[in-house]
Amino acid sequence: MAHVLNVSTQDGPVGQLGFESQQDVYSFKYDEAWQARDAAFPLSPHIPLSGEQPKLRTVHRFLANLLPEGRALEVASVMHQMSKDNTFGLMHILGKEPVGALSFTAPAQNAAAGEEGGVNAEAEYTADQQEGAPSVRRIVLNDELSDRIRRRDEIPFPVWDRKLRLSVAGFQDKLQVLVEGESISLVDGGPISSTHILKPESLNPASAFMVANEHYCMTLAARIGLPTAAVEIRRIPEPILLIERFDRQAELDPADGVTALRVRRTHVIDGCQALDLPVSLKYERNFGNAPAVRNIREGASFEKLFLLERHLENPAQARQIMLRWALFQLFIGNSDAHGKNLSFHVRPAGLSPAPFYDLVSVNAHGDAVEQDMALAYGDAFRLDEVTAFELADFANRTGTPRPLLARELTRMALAIKRVSADLARSEIYVAEERRLVQRIHGFVTVQADKLLQLAPAVPRIDRSLL
């Protein structure tokens, strides 16, 4: 049986998502009016605006990468009595405000019928997407938020008012919220969308004080000049991390500079969507690191990400940003920087790297957390295996001039050594948080010294050996 979801932005219809349930086949058809727009963009480079038929399963892979993972996916499945593998059904539930500019909505009941399973796309540009539609804020006071954070074992954190309030990929507990000054609200999309991602502390004792960890690493990146999503710690009294969304642009009321009159959603895709890879291939070693399978490397990799060059709006600038993203993970010891942790703005002229996010020092938590890196530098999957040779191999695989890599390593290392200590002493961090960030500071300083020593040797590696 054929099923349809209408796909739109705040500016109007984009097209229709089709699904044939018996054959498990997905399709997408652009709206002709959308294709004719000067500002039109494709869903991804692999679902071209020309309407050319994408590869088999491409549409499904694109959708599956929009969905949350882990507990949030379990909750959605149980709440709505459907399989976690039912991507179309989950998009029907969670598709109103996923990452990016697109909304996936069921055909309006009063839409004019076309072909079997078809609808009038204009009719689906419903009231909650129009300029004059009322915006409903569900304010969350600190006491309620604190209670919900403490009761996460009883009530799944993404569920509020018996409704699943999350459609953002990833495993961590998080919530999409609208932040207006000190006020935090839940919203349902339309003219007013969420502006921030809210993350409470991890429930896993092996990764304690993750709020401070991520805040420190994100702030360190920003202070050395890397494009990074803005972050803030609030205490309610439990610490929460607020990450400003780079796929949202709030238009504020000039009368108070705080109230959102409108929140525009911009289109972004993650690295797996850009590469047309399924979620299961976000790690380079797609079958894990057990001895029998560790040499199978079919997943996302730095090499594959840099091969996106033909899709980039400004290849030289984008490659520099991507290089800095890759190298910064070495400084902070982020072994979990996988293919979905780099995103791209999608524009008519191509892809452009989005600000960095999910920057954490996994190393700071020791061997209780997996230290093998998600993506290899050359053939090195562990920090202690990274040598000048492996860095030269990384440069060769990504098409990066080795002198450029050496200069970037040196520049970043010196910048980190200048700012890391002051940041670690910041009064933003309290008690055990301060001890953790001091440990991270110690680690990044050691890494900076090590990489400063390796950098000059990288251009001297015999190319014939790579």
Side-chain angles (χ1 to χ4, degrees), residues 48-59:
L49 195 59
S50 65
E52 178 185 346
Q53 189 68 22
K55 293 180 182 178
L56 183 68
R57 308 294 291 175
T58 288
V59 173

Side-chain angles (χ1 to χ4, degrees), residues 25-37:
V25 173
Y26 290 79
S27 62
F28 183 78
K29 180 177 175 56
Y30 284 101
D31 184 87
E32 290 183 2
W34 176 261
Q35 290 173 306
R37 289 180 181 226

Side-chain angles (χ1 to χ4, degrees), residues 302-344:
F302 291 123
E303 181 176 0
K304 289 176 182 174
L305 287 168
F306 276 75
L307 285 174
L308 289 170
E309 181 169 0
R310 64 192 177 93
H311 299 299
L312 299 175
E313 183 178 23
N314 185 331
Q317 181 185 60
R319 286 177 62 87
Q320 184 180 58
I321 293 170
M322 292 163 64
L323 176 62
R324 291 172 178 173
W325 175 79
L327 296 180
F328 189 72
Q329 316 302 336
L330 288 174
F331 287 102
I332 63 173
N334 183 13
S335 60
D336 199 40
H338 52 68
K340 289 180 69 65
N341 278 352
L342 179 66
S343 287
F344 300 86

Side-chain angles (χ1 to χ4, degrees), residues 54-378:
K55 293 180 182 178
L56 183 68
R57 308 294 291 175
T58 288
V59 173
H60 181 225
R61 287 190 287 268
F62 174 84
L63 297 172
N65 274 295
L66 290 175
L67 296 174
E69 302 169 70
R71 193 182 187 198
L73 191 59
E74 293 274 2
V75 170
S77 171
V78 172
M79 281 185 67
H80 297 277
Q81 296 184 310
M82 70 175 69
S83 167
K84 291 183 295 181
D85 296 325
N86 188 344
T87 301
F88 186 87
L90 290 166
M91 287 306 301
H92 190 284
I93 298 162
L94 301 173
K96 190 170 183 181
E97 196 198 350
V99 171
L102 306 175
S103 292
F104 298 79
T105 52
Q109 292 299 312
N110 61 350
E115 298 178 349
E116 181 180 356
V119 297
N120 182 333
E122 291 293 341
E124 181 51 23
Y125 184 45
T126 51
D128 66 350
Q129 294 169 297
Q130 294 171 13
E131 290 286 347
S135 301
V136 178
R137 292 163 169 80
R138 196 294 204 186
I139 295 175
V140 179
L141 299 177
N142 284 356
D143 287 348
E144 181 184 18
L145 181 55
S146 174
D147 178 66
R148 286 299 313 275
I149 288 172
R150 286 182 277 108
R151 296 175 63 199
R152 279 180 286 166
D153 281 336
E154 304 170 43
I155 308 172
F157 191 61
V159 177
W160 291 72
D161 310 319
R162 299 189 178 186
K163 178 179 180 180
L164 194 64
R165 296 275 189 169
L166 176 70
S167 51
V168 178
F171 274 92
Q172 287 179 266
D173 278 338
K174 60 188 77 167
L175 198 62
Q176 300 177 136
V177 296
L178 170 69
V179 176
E180 298 170 297
E182 295 300 311
S183 175
I184 294 176
S185 303
L186 302 174
V187 289
D188 289 325
I192 302 293
S193 299
S194 62
T195 57
H196 289 69
I197 302 297
L198 183 158
K199 291 184 181 179
E201 283 288 12
S202 170
L203 288 172
N204 184 353
S207 54
F209 311 111
M210 189 59 77
V211 166
N213 187 330
E214 186 168 350
H215 183 275
Y216 178 87
C217 293
M218 295 280 284
T219 306
L220 180 63
R223 289 195 180 180
I224 67 168
L226 302 182
T228 310
V231 291
E232 173 192 356
I233 293 179
R234 290 193 187 179
R235 303 185 187 276
I236 59 169
E238 292 83 5
I240 59 172
L241 186 69
L242 291 173
I243 305 110
E244 187 175 331
R245 299 188 64 159
F246 48 74
D247 59 343
R248 303 289 186 267
Q249 296 174 350
E251 178 187 331
L252 303 182
D253 189 339
D256 59 21
V258 171
T259 304
L261 299 176
R262 175 178 170 84
V263 179
R264 285 205 59 83
R265 298 172 57 197
T266 60
H267 193 42
V268 297
I269 58 175
D270 65 36
C272 283
Q273 290 170 313
L275 292 170
D276 193 20
L277 293 177
V279 180
S280 59
L281 294 186
K282 68 180 184 179
Y283 292 101
E284 185 168 349
R285 284 172 166 167
N286 48 305
F287 294 128
N289 59 6
V293 294
R294 64 191 313 162
N295 291 326
I296 300 172
R297 296 163 61 173
E298 299 172 334
S301 66
F302 291 123
E303 181 176 0
K304 289 176 182 174
L305 287 168
F306 276 75
L307 285 174
L308 289 170
E309 181 169 0
R310 64 192 177 93
H311 299 299
L312 299 175
E313 183 178 23
N314 185 331
Q317 181 185 60
R319 286 177 62 87
Q320 184 180 58
I321 293 170
M322 292 163 64
L323 176 62
R324 291 172 178 173
W325 175 79
L327 296 180
F328 189 72
Q329 316 302 336
L330 288 174
F331 287 102
I332 63 173
N334 183 13
S335 60
D336 199 40
H338 52 68
K340 289 180 69 65
N341 278 352
L342 179 66
S343 287
F344 300 86
H345 290 288
V346 183
R347 302 187 176 105
L351 305 181
S352 177
F356 302 166
Y357 57 98
D358 283 355
L359 299 176
V360 296
S361 176
V362 176
N363 180 273
H365 299 287
D367 290 335
V369 182
E370 180 56 59
Q371 297 296 327
D372 276 19
M373 291 181 288
L375 309 180
Y377 297 80

